[in-house]
Amino acid sequence: MKKFDRKNLIYVSLMIFSMFFGAGNLIFPPLLGQLSGTKMPLSLAGFLISAVGLPILAIVVVAKSGGLHILASRVHPRFALAFTILIYLSIGPFLGIPRAASLAFEMGVSPFLSNQISDSSLPLFIYTLVYFAIAYWLCMTPSKLVDRFGKFLTPVLLILITTIFIFSFVKPIGAFTAPIGEYASSPVLKGFLDGYMTMDAIAALNFGIVISIALNDMGVTEEKQLISRTIKAGAIAGMILAIIYGMLAYLGAVSQTRFGAVENGAQTLTNVVFYLFGQNGLILLGIIFSLACLTTSVGLITSCSQYFAKLMPKVSYKAWITIFSLSSMMFANVGLSRILKFSVPALTAIYPMAIVLMIIALFDKCFKGNRYVYLFAMIFTSVVSILDALGQFGLKINALNILPFYSNGLGWVVPAIVGIIIGFVYGKLKNKTV
């Protein structure tokens, strides 16, 4: 049995960080910093709750429950199958992985192409072909991800981002400005809602398989130790995420006075690195985006393939990574704007259910595992979240406007609480009648 020491714990933590830290994690903090200005610390606090707190909570809950499918089975076996498949496919080949590959191209290659070449679909096809070939090769040996991510790729990524942050003090960019819009009136809530878009809370539900494989390969096989190491590694990864988010938010906050308002965080980072390093800064930023997106894609392809290989044993793990690599490449070539058009409604539908499931599981002992709490909470939450998602496709349900916090994107909160209460009371009454 291999010795699992602190060094190995750090390597696993860095692997987890690399799987979380992808496209959205680079884009949203700088934009948050730019728009929140002097209220950046408050907005960042809200962002950290949803972009760091919820993912780490997901790792803890999944580790203790024995996997996402087992966790979702507390609602109903059929729900577990449908919900788990939906989670894996949405965060994987349908949305998460193609979004990462497309954004890596937009930031890492597109800026260096002429207008004539960039209008062609060929560069994106060639880039994604190489991108997913590398991803496929990395996914072939999931037990080596700790060495490849934790010992090499992630440290390089962290050094590059830290370099940009340090140089912003050597060559000052600007100063904090007044917050804009909702960042002025509700900075914490706005930051919390921005954290939704990283997808990390959903991704964390998937990564349990990859983390378990890595720990097993290091000799951690006893269940209690596996849970303990997973939670510790997740907590360390969360701390690193919080530090990097703080750096990126700061860069965005000081960029407003020099560059003015921009449309997204990618433009903010582009302006910052170009100012600090000139034309070479764009190469640096391209490397950062490519590394961040690649590591996330590998984590997602691996976790999806491991799950479906267990679900359908007749199809091998190698076959699944081939299927998911090819399908992700196909969807990536649809283009980033079209992917984002569908990702927001999908997140609107799935995210609330995932959050409620995790929170209920955390307090499972308080209601003695009453399955009706899970069932009714999920029914009430899913109705609101799915209708809200359909509204983003044009099917507006005006009745939803009466829900508390609906205008803030949290219309599911009160229905979830009502579902929990009804489920608890119904479970108590049903037990008395048995």
Side-chain angles (χ1 to χ4, degrees):
M1 177 176 174
K2 299 179 182 179
K3 181 181 178 182
F4 188 86
D5 54 18
R6 291 183 179 179
K7 184 185 292 185
N8 286 330
L9 180 63
I10 295 297
Y11 289 149
V12 175
S13 302
L14 291 175
M15 180 196 72
I16 295 173
F17 167 87
S18 68
M19 292 191 298
F20 278 137
F21 196 77
N25 311 75
L26 275 166
I27 288 178
F28 296 113
L31 185 63
L32 176 147
Q34 178 191 306
L35 298 178
S36 58
T38 54
K39 291 191 176 182
M40 185 270 283
L42 293 175
S43 295
L44 181 62
F47 184 86
L48 293 180
I49 293 173
S50 57
V52 177
L54 289 178
I56 301 309
L57 173 63
I59 287 178
V60 172
V61 169
V62 170
K64 287 187 173 182
S65 62
L68 174 58
H69 190 95
I70 296 175
L71 174 61
S73 294
R74 297 178 184 179
V75 181
H76 192 278
R78 291 181 182 176
F79 172 85
L81 180 62
F83 184 72
T84 306
I85 291 175
L86 181 62
I87 287 286
Y88 274 107
L89 292 181
S90 62
I91 197 67
F94 288 170
L95 292 175
I97 301 171
R99 185 181 79 163
S102 297
L103 186 59
F105 171 80
E106 292 290 337
M107 297 304 301
V109 176
S110 189
F112 302 99
L113 301 178
S114 65
N115 293 333
Q116 183 177 2
I117 296 177
S118 60
D119 289 337
S120 169
S121 59
L122 185 61
L124 177 59
F125 175 79
I126 294 174
Y127 179 84
T128 53
L129 181 63
V130 175
Y131 180 97
F132 284 107
I134 296 173
Y136 175 85
W137 174 71
L138 290 170
C139 291
M140 283 292 292
T141 50
S143 61
K144 294 183 179 181
L145 291 184
V146 172
D147 289 334
R148 290 167 176 169
F149 287 6
K151 296 181 181 180
F152 177 67
L153 293 178
T154 306
V156 170
L157 181 61
L158 293 176
I159 290 171
L160 293 177
I161 294 174
T162 304
T163 299
I164 296 174
F165 178 71
I166 293 173
F167 265 78
S168 70
F169 291 97
V170 176
K171 186 179 181 181
I173 301 171
F176 285 34
T177 58
I180 299 172
E182 293 181 57
Y183 291 97
S185 57
S186 307
V188 177
L189 178 60
K190 179 58 178 171
F192 178 86
L193 294 175
D194 285 346
Y196 259 38
M197 300 308 297
T198 64
M199 289 186 170
D200 282 350
I202 297 178
L205 295 173
N206 296 1
F207 289 152
I209 293 177
V210 182
I211 298 170
S212 294
I213 290 173
L215 290 174
N216 283 328
D217 188 62
M218 290 181 164
V220 182
T221 55
E222 199 270 326
E223 185 177 358
K224 288 186 178 179
Q225 286 295 317
L226 190 64
I227 294 172
S228 174
R229 304 301 189 201
T230 299
I231 293 173
K232 287 181 180 179
I236 295 173
M239 290 172 58
I240 300 172
L241 277 170
I243 293 170
I244 296 300
Y245 287 152
M247 292 181 181
L248 293 173
Y250 170 83
L251 292 173
V254 297
S255 70
Q256 174 80 322
T257 53
R258 183 170 296 276
F259 307 115
V262 297
E263 293 182 3
N264 56 62
Q267 291 181 5
T268 300
L269 281 178
T270 300
N271 290 334
V272 167
V273 297
F274 188 79
Y275 169 75
L276 294 175
F277 304 102
Q279 191 69 28
N280 291 331
L282 297 181
I283 299 175
L284 174 64
L285 190 62
I287 295 172
I288 290 174
F289 268 90
S290 295
L291 282 178
C293 294
L294 178 63
T295 53
T296 298
S297 296
V298 170
L300 291 171
I301 292 173
T302 300
S303 58
C304 289
S305 300
Q306 290 286 354
Y307 172 73
F308 282 97
K310 288 184 177 181
L311 186 65
M312 291 176 267
K314 291 184 178 179
V315 183
S316 68
Y317 168 77
K318 183 178 179 180
W320 280 115
I321 62 172
T322 303
I323 293 170
F324 289 135
S325 296
L326 290 174
S327 59
S328 297
M329 176 183 167
M330 179 182 69
F331 283 113
N333 279 270
V334 170
L336 183 59
S337 59
R338 291 182 180 177
I339 294 171
L340 293 176
K341 182 180 179 181
F342 287 96
S343 67
V344 175
L347 284 175
T348 301
I350 298 170
Y351 226 127
M353 288 187 277
I355 292 174
V356 172
L357 183 61
M358 287 186 293
I359 293 176
I360 295 176
L362 191 65
F363 297 97
D364 183 80
K365 292 183 179 179
C366 296
F367 52 86
K368 298 179 181 179
N370 184 340
R371 74 180 187 88
Y372 293 104
V373 171
Y374 288 94
L375 179 61
F376 281 92
M378 209 50 50
I379 290 174
F380 280 60
T381 304
S382 62
V383 169
V384 175
S385 65
I386 291 172
L387 290 177
D388 194 12
L390 291 175
Q392 296 180 22
F393 285 113
L395 183 62
K396 296 293 183 182
I397 311 295
N398 294 327
L400 294 177
N401 293 323
I402 66 173
L403 293 173
F405 314 118
Y406 179 75
S407 60
N408 301 118
L410 297 171
W412 53 270
V413 171
V414 172
I417 295 172
V418 172
I420 291 172
I421 295 172
I422 292 176
F424 180 78
V425 173
Y426 181 80
K428 286 285 187 180
L429 293 174
K430 194 170 183 65
N431 288 335
K432 287 183 179 180
T433 58
V434 175

